[in-house]
Protein backbone atom coordinates (compact mmCIF):
# COMPACT_ATOMS: atom_id res chain seq x y z
CA UNK A 1 0.00 0.00 0.00
CA UNK A 2 1.13 3.53 -0.76
CA UNK A 3 -0.08 6.97 0.26
CA UNK A 4 0.88 10.39 -1.04
CA UNK A 5 2.55 12.75 1.43
CA UNK A 6 3.27 16.29 0.26
CA UNK A 7 3.15 15.18 -3.37
CA UNK A 8 5.42 12.16 -2.90
CA UNK A 9 4.30 8.52 -2.99
CA UNK A 10 5.54 6.65 0.07
CA UNK A 11 4.99 3.00 1.08
CA UNK A 12 3.19 2.00 4.25
CA UNK A 13 5.37 -0.46 6.14
CA UNK A 14 3.07 -1.59 8.93
CA UNK A 15 2.45 1.87 10.38
CA UNK A 16 -0.96 2.33 12.00
CA UNK A 17 -1.28 6.09 11.45
CA UNK A 18 -0.26 8.78 8.99
CA UNK A 19 1.75 10.42 11.77
CA UNK A 20 3.90 7.29 12.05
CA UNK A 21 4.44 7.18 8.27
CA UNK A 22 5.39 10.86 8.20
CA UNK A 23 7.89 10.49 11.01
CA UNK A 24 9.49 7.51 9.32
CA UNK A 25 9.91 9.68 6.24
CA UNK A 26 11.50 12.46 8.29
CA UNK A 27 8.52 14.83 7.98
CA UNK A 28 8.07 16.99 11.07
CA UNK A 29 4.54 17.12 12.47
CA UNK A 30 4.22 18.82 15.88
CA UNK A 31 2.51 16.96 18.73
CA UNK A 32 1.88 17.47 22.43
CA UNK A 33 -0.59 14.76 23.46
CA UNK A 34 1.07 11.99 21.45
CA UNK A 35 3.49 9.45 22.92
CA UNK A 36 4.76 6.37 21.06
CA UNK A 37 4.16 4.19 24.12
CA UNK A 38 0.48 5.17 24.45
CA UNK A 39 -2.59 4.76 22.22
CA UNK A 40 -3.48 7.73 19.97
CA UNK A 41 -5.58 10.40 21.65
CA UNK A 42 -6.01 13.35 19.27
CA UNK A 43 -6.52 15.98 21.95
CA UNK A 44 -3.99 18.71 21.20
CA UNK A 45 -4.85 18.89 17.45
CA UNK A 46 -1.36 20.17 16.64
CA UNK A 47 -0.73 17.14 14.43
CA UNK A 48 -3.51 18.09 12.02
CA UNK A 49 -2.94 17.46 8.32
CA UNK A 50 -5.05 18.22 5.27
CA UNK A 51 -6.60 15.27 3.44
CA UNK A 52 -6.88 16.08 -0.25
CA UNK A 53 -8.15 12.74 -1.62
CA UNK A 54 -8.68 9.11 -0.69
CA UNK A 55 -10.68 9.86 2.42
CA UNK A 56 -12.88 12.47 4.05
CA UNK A 57 -11.34 15.71 2.83
CA UNK A 58 -10.39 18.44 5.25
CA UNK A 59 -8.28 18.88 8.36
CA UNK A 60 -7.85 15.91 10.67
CA UNK A 61 -5.47 14.69 13.36
CA UNK A 62 -2.71 12.59 11.80
CA UNK A 63 -2.22 10.58 15.02
CA UNK A 64 -5.66 9.00 14.56
CA UNK A 65 -5.72 8.89 10.74
CA UNK A 66 -5.09 5.36 9.40
CA UNK A 67 -3.25 5.06 6.08
CA UNK A 68 -5.34 3.86 3.14
CA UNK A 69 -4.63 3.14 -0.50
CA UNK A 70 -4.92 6.34 -2.53
CA UNK A 71 -4.82 8.65 0.48
CA UNK A 72 -3.38 12.07 -0.42
CA UNK A 73 -2.22 14.21 2.50
CA UNK A 74 -0.55 17.60 2.87
CA UNK A 75 1.27 18.06 6.18
CA UNK A 76 2.26 21.71 5.71
CA UNK A 77 -0.44 23.36 3.59
CA UNK A 78 -1.48 27.00 4.25
CA UNK A 79 -4.63 25.80 6.06
CA UNK A 80 -2.59 23.49 8.28
CA UNK A 81 -0.01 26.17 9.11
CA UNK A 82 -2.68 28.74 9.97
CA UNK A 83 -4.59 26.35 12.24
CA UNK A 84 -1.44 25.26 14.06
CA UNK A 85 -0.44 28.88 14.66
CA UNK A 86 -3.82 29.64 16.25
CA UNK A 87 -3.51 26.58 18.49
CA UNK A 88 -0.03 27.61 19.64
CA UNK A 89 -1.23 31.18 20.27
CA UNK A 90 -3.91 29.76 22.56
CA UNK A 91 -1.32 27.61 24.34
CA UNK A 92 0.98 30.59 24.81
CA UNK A 93 -1.84 32.51 26.44
CA UNK A 94 -2.19 29.74 29.03
CA UNK A 95 1.36 28.46 29.59
CA UNK A 96 3.62 31.15 28.16
CA UNK A 97 6.77 30.06 30.04
CA UNK A 98 6.74 26.33 29.22
CA UNK A 99 9.94 25.59 27.21
CA UNK A 100 8.26 23.09 24.89
CA UNK A 101 5.46 25.51 24.04
CA UNK A 102 7.95 28.30 23.38
CA UNK A 103 9.96 26.00 21.11
CA UNK A 104 6.81 25.08 19.19
CA UNK A 105 5.99 28.77 18.81
CA UNK A 106 9.49 29.45 17.48
CA UNK A 107 9.31 26.64 14.92
CA UNK A 108 5.87 27.74 13.75
CA UNK A 109 6.79 31.43 13.56
CA UNK A 110 4.48 32.57 16.37
CA UNK A 111 5.97 35.58 18.16
CA UNK A 112 3.18 36.54 20.54
CA UNK A 113 -0.25 35.50 21.73
CA UNK A 114 -3.06 37.93 20.84
CA UNK A 115 -5.39 36.27 23.34
CA UNK A 116 -5.91 37.48 26.89
CA UNK A 117 -4.38 35.05 29.42
CA UNK A 118 -6.62 33.64 32.17
CA UNK A 119 -6.57 35.36 35.54
CA UNK A 120 -5.40 32.17 37.25
CA UNK A 121 -1.89 31.09 36.28
CA UNK A 122 -1.93 27.61 34.77
CA UNK A 123 0.68 25.11 33.67
CA UNK A 124 -1.51 22.20 32.62
CA UNK A 125 -2.74 22.15 28.99
CA UNK A 126 -5.04 19.14 29.48
CA UNK A 127 -3.14 17.02 26.96
CA UNK A 128 -4.09 13.91 28.96
CA UNK A 129 -0.64 12.31 28.83
CA UNK A 130 -0.34 12.05 32.62
CA UNK A 131 -3.78 10.46 32.97
CA UNK A 132 -3.14 7.95 30.20
CA UNK A 133 0.32 6.93 31.39
CA UNK A 134 -0.99 6.54 34.95
CA UNK A 135 -3.67 4.17 33.63
CA UNK A 136 -1.10 2.23 31.59
CA UNK A 137 2.03 2.13 33.74
CA UNK A 138 0.87 3.41 37.11
CA UNK A 139 -2.06 2.85 39.41
CA UNK A 140 -4.82 5.06 37.93
CA UNK A 141 -4.28 7.59 40.70
CA UNK A 142 -5.46 10.61 38.66
CA UNK A 143 -8.14 11.44 36.12
CA UNK A 144 -10.06 14.25 34.47
CA UNK A 145 -12.57 16.17 36.57
CA UNK A 146 -15.33 18.65 35.66
CA UNK A 147 -16.16 20.03 32.22
CA UNK A 148 -15.61 23.03 30.01
CA UNK A 149 -13.42 25.82 31.39
CA UNK A 150 -13.36 24.07 34.79
CA UNK A 151 -11.87 20.85 33.40
CA UNK A 152 -8.70 19.75 35.13
CA UNK A 153 -6.59 16.73 36.07
CA UNK A 154 -6.99 15.69 39.67
CA UNK A 155 -6.88 12.77 42.12
CA UNK A 156 -10.33 11.52 43.15
CA UNK A 157 -12.40 14.20 44.90
CA UNK A 158 -9.50 16.67 44.69
CA UNK A 159 -7.79 15.13 47.70
CA UNK A 160 -4.22 13.87 48.08
CA UNK A 161 -3.41 11.09 45.61
CA UNK A 162 -3.74 8.09 47.92
CA UNK A 163 -3.25 5.63 45.04
CA UNK A 164 -0.05 7.25 43.72
CA UNK A 165 2.85 4.78 43.82
CA UNK A 166 5.57 7.29 43.00
CA UNK A 167 6.57 5.90 39.61
CA UNK A 168 6.92 9.49 38.30
CA UNK A 169 5.77 8.47 34.82
CA UNK A 170 3.37 11.42 34.81
CA UNK A 171 6.22 13.87 35.37
CA UNK A 172 8.27 12.17 32.66
CA UNK A 173 5.65 12.64 29.93
CA UNK A 174 4.30 16.07 30.96
CA UNK A 175 5.23 18.52 28.16
CA UNK A 176 4.96 21.69 30.25
CA UNK A 177 6.56 20.73 33.57
CA UNK A 178 3.26 21.01 35.40
CA UNK A 179 3.93 17.73 37.25
CA UNK A 180 6.92 17.71 39.60
CA UNK A 181 8.34 15.23 42.09
CA UNK A 182 11.00 16.02 44.67
CA UNK A 183 12.85 13.63 46.95
CA UNK A 184 14.24 14.73 50.29
CA UNK A 185 15.65 12.07 52.58
CA UNK A 186 13.12 9.28 52.95
CA UNK A 187 10.17 11.24 51.54
CA UNK A 188 9.04 11.67 47.93
CA UNK A 189 6.51 14.43 47.29
CA UNK A 190 4.65 15.10 44.06
CA UNK A 191 2.68 18.11 42.87
CA UNK A 192 0.00 18.93 41.98
CA UNK A 193 -1.25 15.52 43.16
CA UNK A 194 -0.25 16.19 46.82
CA UNK A 195 1.50 12.83 46.83
CA UNK A 196 3.63 12.07 49.89
CA UNK A 197 5.44 8.73 49.83
CA UNK A 198 8.01 6.92 51.89
CA UNK A 199 11.23 6.05 50.05
CA UNK A 200 12.74 2.59 50.53
CA UNK A 201 16.51 2.19 50.74
CA UNK A 202 18.78 -0.36 49.10
CA UNK A 203 19.05 -3.39 51.37
CA UNK A 204 22.78 -3.59 50.67
CA UNK A 205 24.28 -0.08 50.57
CA UNK A 206 21.45 1.91 52.15
CA UNK A 207 21.10 4.44 49.35
CA UNK A 208 17.57 5.73 48.56
CA UNK A 209 16.04 3.34 46.03
CA UNK A 210 12.42 4.14 45.13
CA UNK A 211 9.04 4.79 46.69
CA UNK A 212 8.10 1.84 48.88
CA UNK A 213 4.66 1.60 47.25
CA UNK A 214 6.32 1.41 43.83
CA UNK A 215 8.45 -1.53 44.95
CA UNK A 216 5.38 -3.29 46.35
CA UNK A 217 3.56 -2.62 43.07
CA UNK A 218 6.48 -4.04 41.08
CA UNK A 219 6.59 -7.20 43.22
CA UNK A 220 2.93 -7.85 42.43
CA UNK A 221 3.16 -7.06 38.72
CA UNK A 222 6.52 -8.61 37.86
CA UNK A 223 7.42 -12.26 38.41
CA UNK A 224 10.80 -11.89 40.09
CA UNK A 225 11.57 -14.45 42.75
CA UNK A 226 14.99 -12.98 43.56
CA UNK A 227 13.87 -9.39 44.05
CA UNK A 228 15.85 -8.16 47.06
CA UNK A 229 15.42 -4.41 46.96
CA UNK A 230 18.87 -3.73 45.57
CA UNK A 231 19.88 -0.51 43.82
CA UNK A 232 21.22 -0.87 40.24
CA UNK A 233 24.87 -0.61 41.38
CA UNK A 234 24.50 -3.30 44.03
CA UNK A 235 22.56 -5.55 41.66
CA UNK A 236 25.33 -5.25 39.05
CA UNK A 237 27.93 -6.16 41.67
CA UNK A 238 25.86 -9.16 42.75
CA UNK A 239 25.49 -10.37 39.16
CA UNK A 240 29.22 -9.85 38.52
CA UNK A 241 30.14 -11.92 41.60
CA UNK A 242 27.73 -14.66 40.51
CA UNK A 243 29.23 -14.76 37.01
CA UNK A 244 32.75 -14.82 38.44
CA UNK A 245 31.93 -17.77 40.69
CA UNK A 246 30.44 -19.72 37.79
CA UNK A 247 33.49 -18.96 35.65
Amino acid sequence: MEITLNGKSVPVQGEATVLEVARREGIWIPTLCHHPGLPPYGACRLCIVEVKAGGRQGLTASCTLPPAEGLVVETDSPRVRERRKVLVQLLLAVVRDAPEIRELARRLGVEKAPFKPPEEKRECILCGLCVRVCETAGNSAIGFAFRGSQRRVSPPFGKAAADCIGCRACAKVCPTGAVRFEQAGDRLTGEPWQADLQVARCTSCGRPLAARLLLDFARKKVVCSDFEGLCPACRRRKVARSVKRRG
Side-chain angles (χ1 to χ4, degrees), residues 110-179:
V110 177
E111 297 181 357
K112 60 181 180 179
F115 305 106
K116 182 180 179 181
E119 295 181 1
E120 180 186 1
K121 184 178 179 181
R122 294 177 57 183
E123 294 178 297
C124 177
I125 59 172
L126 300 174
C127 68
L129 278 171
C130 58
V131 174
R132 291 153 58 210
V133 79
C134 192
E135 291 174 349
T136 303
N139 201 31
S140 297
I142 54 176
F144 282 111
F146 308 111
R147 296 176 180 270
S149 62
Q150 300 301 313
R151 189 169 173 82
R152 59 189 173 90
V153 177
S154 170
F157 308 107
K159 298 183 178 181
D163 291 330
C164 177
I165 57 176
C167 68
R168 303 189 233 192
C170 53
K172 182 70 174 177
V173 299
C174 178
T176 65
V179 185

Side-chain angles (χ1 to χ4, degrees), residues 215-227:
L215 297 181
D216 294 341
F217 183 82
R219 289 188 182 97
K220 294 176 182 177
K221 292 289 184 179
V222 181
V223 178
C224 184
S225 59
D226 65 340
F227 184 84

Side-chain angles (χ1 to χ4, degrees), residues 1-246:
M1 176 171 45
E2 290 188 347
I3 65 174
T4 302
L5 281 179
N6 301 337
K8 177 185 175 183
S9 293
V10 297
V12 177
Q13 301 174 354
E15 291 86 1
T17 67
V18 168
L19 176 62
E20 293 176 2
V21 177
R23 288 189 166 177
R24 190 202 70 215
E25 293 295 313
I27 299 173
W28 180 69
I29 296 179
T31 61
L32 280 177
C33 71
H34 178 75
H35 190 281
L38 297 171
Y41 194 52
C44 72
R45 313 308 291 177
L46 281 169
C47 73
I48 55 171
V49 294
E50 186 171 2
V51 177
K52 293 287 191 177
R56 184 175 179 179
Q57 297 185 27
L59 299 178
T60 188
S62 60
C63 71
T64 59
L65 177 63
E69 188 69 49
L71 187 67
V72 179
V73 172
E74 292 288 333
T75 68
D76 196 35
S77 68
R79 288 184 67 191
V80 168
R81 289 197 298 270
E82 185 60 31
R83 187 64 59 86
R84 286 176 183 164
K85 285 183 178 181
V86 173
L87 290 169
V88 171
Q89 287 172 344
L90 289 167
L91 289 169
L92 281 174
V94 177
V95 285
R96 186 179 303 272
D97 298 326
E100 187 153 345
I101 304 302
R102 294 179 68 86
E103 175 60 18
L104 273 175
R106 184 192 67 78
R107 294 194 66 170
L108 293 171
V110 177
E111 297 181 357
K112 60 181 180 179
F115 305 106
K116 182 180 179 181
E119 295 181 1
E120 180 186 1
K121 184 178 179 181
R122 294 177 57 183
E123 294 178 297
C124 177
I125 59 172
L126 300 174
C127 68
L129 278 171
C130 58
V131 174
R132 291 153 58 210
V133 79
C134 192
E135 291 174 349
T136 303
N139 201 31
S140 297
I142 54 176
F144 282 111
F146 308 111
R147 296 176 180 270
S149 62
Q150 300 301 313
R151 189 169 173 82
R152 59 189 173 90
V153 177
S154 170
F157 308 107
K159 298 183 178 181
D163 291 330
C164 177
I165 57 176
C167 68
R168 303 189 233 192
C170 53
K172 182 70 174 177
V173 299
C174 178
T176 65
V179 185
R180 295 177 290 272
F181 278 81
E182 294 183 3
Q183 185 173 318
D186 289 336
R187 306 304 300 180
L188 176 67
T189 57
E191 295 296 340
W193 319 136
Q194 305 173 56
D196 186 6
L197 301 147
Q198 183 180 2
V199 175
R201 292 181 173 271
C202 174
T203 55
S204 178
C205 68
R207 292 191 186 97
L209 180 57
R212 189 172 298 279
L213 287 179
L214 176 59
L215 297 181
D216 294 341
F217 183 82
R219 289 188 182 97
K220 294 176 182 177
K221 292 289 184 179
V222 181
V223 178
C224 184
S225 59
D226 65 340
F227 184 84
E228 299 173 352
L230 298 174
C231 70
C234 290
R235 179 163 287 276
R236 285 195 297 270
R237 283 194 289 268
K238 178 183 178 181
V239 171
R241 288 195 296 267
S242 175
V243 170
K244 187 177 180 179
R245 284 196 298 268
R246 289 199 301 267

